[in-house]
Amino acid sequence: EFKKVRLTDDEYDKLVENNGIKTNEYIAKLDEDIENTGKVYKNHYLTICNWVKKDAKNNNNDREQIIQNMQEFTKEVEW
């Protein structure tokens, strides 16, 4: 929207290859962040890659917590 994010064609292609349609969501998020905060990022590609890794880790932790909760629940329930 604000056209603040700078990526080479190769960087964009790599992001799409690894993240599919979520790539545009990350680009929009970075674009809005730059516009809203005025923050300067040295490398937009690396910033998005780091966000993807962080989100994947958080999602994995959420899944693990859900599995643990279900395991505890099934222990408590008498079948």
Side-chain angles (χ1 to χ4, degrees), residues 4 23 31 35 43 51 72 77-78:
K4 304 273 186 189
T23 297
D31 197 43
E35 180 67 22
N43 185 322
W51 286 356
E72 289 173 11
V77 174
E78 290 185 33

Side-chain angles (χ1 to χ4, degrees), residues 33-69:
D33 189 55
I34 293 168
E35 180 67 22
N36 287 332
T37 65
K39 188 171 180 180
V40 176
Y41 294 89
K42 282 184 172 183
N43 185 322
H44 294 175
Y45 173 74
L46 185 57
T47 298
I48 291 172
C49 288
N50 287 335
W51 286 356
V52 168
K53 288 178 191 175
K54 181 181 174 186
D55 287 350
K57 182 180 178 190
N58 288 341
N59 288 342
N60 190 39
N61 288 342
D62 290 346
R63 270 190 231 108
E64 288 175 6
Q65 185 63 48
I66 290 168
I67 290 168
Q68 183 179 355
N69 289 346

